[in-house]
């Protein structure tokens, strides 16, 4: 090899080393544009460094030898770069590790093409001087084939305009909608580089048909918007046909569970409604409020019935009424209040029977055992108390390190389940008070629980808007969804309701995993993202990030999440467009 060829090789080697150094420092790099996005691994960056090194060597050769062929190669490359830009459209580089993002227009593409042309000229010179018979195009062809073999795993990034606009999701959030395309690309590349192989004829074995139960997943099938403020309480009728909801807007709504239609609105509470319940015969509803009252209505006539009161007081409690529960036989109603007491009322008359004293702080929740004999309560005082409601005795007091926000009893009456401010769910032996196990997975306080009628599935919601389904026999998380408290299962276990902020109620149903995803996220963008229409942009972005972390298939491997994530992205894009329109219409202040 001639000295000049050795010099050129040195330039290329130096460029390769520089490329490797850049890749190790910057980390993952992506090219984005109208075609989507492609991740760049170490090999392409090294190859780019080699091309740059060859181009520098070509420039030196052209200057020292005054070779006009170099300028011709640059011109051809520049024209090719402009042509590529016109076909592909706008492009950009993004390097999330170092926060790098910039666009590439037609002019920079022409420059890149010129560099590639100059590199081709350099390699041609080197090949000519070293008497290698391979043409520059053959060299580049071999390089391209190697790059394809090394980087066929590169895949499109989702919604890269969000990254380029400064949104850091702190997740890779990539490769979520291209699994099929990725497999096809792998097969295509393998077909290109692998020599044909002889395959002996296959002998097809006899296939015996089998019926395989397909897995089921919970999906939101409808979003109801009627209340004008947060939904704090839900209760489903015993026949599973209707349900009621209580809200900060001081109303109780009566809904058709099958159609999602509002049947009636009950007024009467002077303040926010915190709790609701439906009698076992489905004829009466009650609600507890910040106004310290428990009110009741007759469903058949839709008429206000009465307000529960004690002694000569017009109130039901001396504090907020946080929780209400009917006994299974309908004979009693239990109420829990911030006044530290639990009260037992006649289920039909509304007369006060007993007041249970013992908690030293606000009582958050109350539940009655299936046999109607035992009552349990959880409090801010970090205790769970088990009561004989008839005598007022406390057979057992369970202590924990944090306040119990919610408590329920399993359908078989054997397990007590509590949700706490320490983000955990505890399962207790209802007969002995022994702590059986602790379920962890929520990142904020667990504020609502609902147990499936079969006693094997638990739904929990936390204050950060996350719903989790648990397999109680194993303690494993089955599925994670987005939705606020409260949560409630229908009597047949096929439907789950969730309430929460902004007056939204979601209806979830169990479906086969291969069923078509219903277009449940088809409302207004603020309804889909779970924010107010006039929410601050930072709050909207925060809501989007939270939904992305829940629904992105890279994080939550559920077959329905692709469609869900697409709907969430569309909603966020609509918000961005609206924000841009507002900013464009806002006049600039006079200088």
């Amino acid at each position: 090899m001639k000295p000049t060829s050795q010099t050129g090789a040195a330039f290329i080697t130096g460029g390769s080393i520089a490329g490797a150094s850049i890749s190790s420092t910057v980390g993952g790099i992506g090219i984005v544009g109208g075609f989507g996005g492609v991740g760049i691994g170490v090999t392409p960056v090294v190859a780019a460094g080699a091309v740059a090194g060859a181009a520098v060597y070509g420039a030196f050769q052209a200057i020292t030898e005054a070779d006009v062929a170099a300028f011709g190669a640059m011109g051809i490359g520049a024209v090719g770069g402009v042509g590529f830009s016109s076909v592909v459209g706008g492009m950009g580089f993004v390097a999330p590790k170092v926060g790098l993002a910039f666009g590439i227009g037609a002019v920079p593409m022409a420059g890149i093409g010129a560099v590639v042309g100059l590199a081709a000229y350099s390699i041609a010179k080197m090949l000519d001087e070293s008497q290698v018979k391979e043409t520059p195009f053959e060299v580049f062809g071999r390089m391209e084939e190697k790059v394809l073999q090394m980087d066929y795993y590169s895949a499109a990034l989702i919604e890269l305009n969000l990254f380029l606009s400064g949104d850091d999701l702190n997740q890779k959030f990539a490769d979520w909608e291209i699994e099929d395309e990725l497999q096809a690309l792998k097969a295509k590349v393998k077909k290109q580089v692998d020599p044909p192989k002889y395959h002996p004829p296959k002998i097809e074995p006899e296939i015996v048909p089998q019926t395989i139960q397909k897995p089921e997943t919970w999906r939101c099938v409808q979003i109801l918007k009627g209340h004008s403020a947060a939904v704090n309480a839900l209760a489903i009728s015993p026949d599973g046909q209707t349900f009621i909801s209580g809200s900060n807007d001081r109303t109780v709504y009566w809904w058709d569970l099958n159609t999602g239609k509002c049947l009636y609105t009950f007024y009467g509470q002077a303040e926010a409604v915190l709790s609701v319940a439906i009698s076992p015969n489905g004829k009466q509803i009650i609600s507890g409020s910040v106004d310290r009252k428990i009110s009741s209505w007759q469903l058949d006539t839709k008429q206000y019935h009465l307000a529960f009161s004690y002694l000569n007081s017009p109130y039901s409690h001396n504090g907020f009424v946080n929780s209400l529960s009917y006994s299974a036989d309908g004979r009693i109603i239990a109420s829990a209040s911030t006044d530290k007491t639990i009260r037992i009322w006649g289920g039909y008359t509304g007369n006060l029977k007993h007041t249970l004293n013992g908690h030293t702080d606000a009582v958050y929740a109350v539940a009655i055992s299936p046999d109607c004999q035992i009552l349990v309560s959880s409090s801010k005082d970090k205790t769970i108390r088990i009561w004989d409601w008839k005598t007022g005795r406390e057979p057992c007091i369970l202590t924990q390190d944090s306040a119990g926000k919610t408590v329920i009893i399993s359908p078989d009456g054997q397990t007590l389940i509590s949700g706490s401010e320490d983000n955990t769910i505890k399962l207790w032996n209802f007969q002995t008070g022994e702590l059986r196990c602790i379920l962890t997975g929520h990142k904020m306080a667990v504020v609502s629980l609902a147990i499936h009628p079969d006693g094997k599935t638990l739904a929990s919601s936390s204050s950060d808007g996350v719903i989790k389904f648990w397999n109680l026999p194993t303690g494993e998380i089955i599925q994670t969804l987005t939705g606020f408290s409260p949560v409630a299962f229908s009597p047949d276990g096929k439907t789950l309701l969730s309430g929460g902020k902004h007056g939204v109620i979601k209806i979830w149903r169990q479906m086969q995993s291969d069923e078509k995803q219903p277009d449940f996220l088809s409302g207004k963008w603020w309804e889909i993202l779970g924010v107010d229409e006039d929410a601050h942009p930072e709050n909207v972005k925060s809501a989007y990030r939270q939904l992305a972390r829940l629904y992105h298939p890279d994080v939550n491997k559920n077959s329905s999440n692709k469609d869900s994530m697409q709907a969430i992205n569309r909603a966020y894009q609509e918000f961005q467009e609206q924000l841009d329109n507002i900013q464009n219409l806002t006049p600039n202040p006079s200088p």
Side-chain angles (χ1 to χ4, degrees):
M1 182 180 290
K2 293 184 179 181
T4 52
S5 299
Q6 294 175 351
T7 303
F11 272 89
I12 294 175
T13 302
S16 301
I17 294 172
S21 176
I22 291 172
S23 178
S24 63
T25 302
V26 175
I29 303 176
I31 300 178
V32 299
F35 55 87
V38 177
I40 302 177
V42 175
T43 302
V45 177
V46 174
V51 170
V56 172
Y57 172 72
F60 275 105
Q61 286 289 96
I63 293 172
T64 57
E65 298 180 12
D67 192 347
V68 295
F71 301 101
M74 291 174 63
I76 294 172
V79 172
V82 173
F84 181 84
S85 177
S86 65
V87 172
V88 174
M91 293 179 59
F93 278 98
V94 57
K97 179 179 177 181
V98 296
L100 176 66
F102 60 88
I104 304 173
V107 174
M109 280 303 299
I112 292 173
V115 171
V116 173
L118 194 55
Y121 162 79
S122 171
I123 292 175
K125 291 286 290 182
M126 290 171 58
L127 292 175
D128 181 62
E129 292 167 353
S130 59
Q131 286 81 46
V132 176
K133 302 302 182 181
E134 204 170 13
T135 68
F137 294 102
E138 290 172 341
V139 173
F140 274 104
R142 286 193 297 104
M143 292 173 63
E144 182 182 22
E145 182 179 85
K146 293 297 181 183
V147 170
L148 281 173
Q149 292 181 57
M150 294 295 295
D151 278 356
Y152 59 74
Y153 55 82
S154 299
L157 305 174
I158 67 163
E159 300 294 339
L160 278 168
N161 61 313
L162 299 181
F163 285 91
L164 295 176
S165 64
D167 289 329
D168 180 12
L169 302 184
N170 297 319
Q171 296 280 351
K172 183 177 67 175
F173 286 174
D175 306 331
W176 65 277
E177 62 177 358
I178 59 160
E179 189 62 31
D180 293 339
E181 292 86 346
L182 179 59
Q183 296 301 327
L185 180 56
K186 286 182 179 180
K188 180 180 179 182
V189 172
K190 185 174 180 61
K191 182 178 180 181
Q192 289 176 349
V193 300
D194 287 354
K197 296 180 180 179
Y198 170 75
H199 296 282
K202 294 182 179 179
I203 301 175
E204 295 293 339
E206 181 181 359
I207 299 175
V208 179
Q210 298 184 41
T211 301
I212 300 175
Q213 182 66 36
K214 296 177 181 177
E216 293 186 331
T217 58
W218 287 91
R219 300 180 185 174
C220 181
V221 296
Q222 200 168 7
I223 297 177
L224 309 181
K225 186 72 180 290
H227 287 289
S228 59
V231 176
N232 300 316
L234 294 166
I236 302 177
S237 63
D239 62 7
Q241 299 302 306
T242 62
F243 72 94
I244 58 173
S245 57
S247 168
N248 280 349
D249 64 10
R250 308 178 186 180
T251 66
V252 175
Y253 275 44
W254 185 26
W255 306 84
D256 186 309
L257 185 56
N258 297 310
T259 65
K261 179 181 178 181
C262 180
L263 302 175
Y264 197 75
T265 303
F266 298 93
Y267 299 92
Q269 305 277 201
E271 297 293 342
V273 178
L274 302 180
S275 52
V276 295
I278 302 179
S279 63
N281 63 11
K283 295 182 178 180
Q284 180 179 268
I285 64 172
I286 55 176
S287 67
S289 171
V290 170
D291 66 7
R292 299 176 286 171
K293 292 182 180 180
I294 301 172
S295 300
S296 65
W297 291 266
Q298 295 299 122
L299 273 183
D300 54 354
T301 63
K302 302 181 181 66
Q303 297 297 312
Y304 182 79
H305 185 212
L306 57 85
F308 297 5
S309 61
Y310 67 99
L311 300 177
N312 295 322
S313 171
Y315 302 108
S316 310
H317 276 277
N318 292 322
F320 302 168
V321 183
N322 289 325
S323 178
L324 292 169
S325 179
Y326 271 98
S327 62
D329 58 13
R331 294 177 58 192
I332 64 166
I333 297 167
S335 60
S337 172
T338 56
D339 65 8
K340 310 175 187 179
T341 69
I342 300 160
R343 291 200 163 135
I344 309 298
W345 311 84
Y348 304 107
T349 64
N351 294 332
L352 179 64
K353 292 180 175 288
H354 303 291
T355 298
L356 305 180
N357 296 288
H359 282 294
T360 59
D361 211 327
V363 185
Y364 288 136
V366 67
I368 302 174
S369 63
D371 64 5
C372 308
Q373 301 301 310
I374 303 297
L375 181 146
V376 297
S377 59
S378 61
S379 167
K380 189 178 180 181
D381 65 11
K382 302 180 182 180
T383 68
I384 297 172
R385 296 176 183 252
I386 300 176
W387 310 77
D388 181 334
W389 66 265
K390 294 179 181 178
T391 64
R393 291 189 302 107
E394 299 170 281
C396 187
I397 300 176
L398 312 177
T399 60
Q400 47 186 4
D401 296 330
S402 62
K405 300 292 290 185
T406 181
V407 65
I408 60 173
I409 302 171
S410 63
D412 62 6
Q414 299 300 309
T415 305
L416 173 66
I417 308 172
S418 63
S420 307
E421 286 186 344
D422 63 2
N423 314 341
T424 67
I425 299 168
K426 297 179 176 68
L427 276 61
W428 312 79
N429 185 310
F430 190 48
Q431 307 302 322
T432 65
E434 177 187 2
L435 179 61
R436 289 179 174 173
C437 69
I438 299 176
L439 305 180
T440 59
H442 282 289
K443 296 181 179 179
M444 293 192 71
V446 179
V447 293
S448 182
L449 296 169
I451 191 166
H452 194 279
D454 66 8
K456 297 179 180 179
T457 302
L458 177 73
S460 61
S461 63
S462 52
S463 55
D464 58 354
V466 174
I467 297 175
K468 291 185 180 293
F469 288 88
W470 306 80
N471 183 320
L472 283 182
T474 65
E476 295 177 339
I477 297 175
I478 301 172
Q479 193 174 350
T480 300
L481 306 170
T482 176
F484 287 88
S485 62
V487 289
F489 275 111
S490 62
D492 62 6
K494 294 180 180 179
T495 303
L496 181 85
L497 295 179
S498 68
K501 299 180 180 180
H502 318 296
V504 170
I505 299 171
K506 291 183 178 181
I507 300 178
W508 307 84
R509 291 205 171 95
Q510 214 169 7
M511 298 182 177
Q512 297 292 338
S513 60
D514 62 348
E515 288 184 43
K516 186 181 185 302
Q517 171 75 3
D519 191 17
F520 68 90
L521 294 173
S522 58
K524 303 295 185 181
W525 66 262
W526 57 89
E527 295 174 342
I528 295 172
L529 298 179
V531 298
D532 291 327
E533 184 177 2
D534 57 353
H536 191 277
E538 288 302 319
N539 294 334
V540 178
K541 291 180 181 179
S542 176
Y544 171 77
R545 292 189 182 101
Q546 184 180 53
L547 289 170
R549 290 186 175 96
L550 286 174
Y551 280 105
H552 197 284
D554 273 359
V555 179
N556 193 340
K557 304 293 185 181
N558 185 287
S559 60
S560 67
N561 285 344
K562 174 180 175 180
D563 293 335
S564 301
M565 194 65 219
Q566 287 176 338
I568 293 165
N569 282 335
R570 286 195 298 268
Y572 189 72
Q573 181 64 33
E574 186 177 340
F575 156 73
Q576 285 190 311
E577 292 173 355
Q578 177 178 303
L579 187 64
D580 291 341
N581 292 335
I582 293 174
Q583 291 174 345
N584 291 335
L585 292 174
T586 303
N588 294 325
S590 300

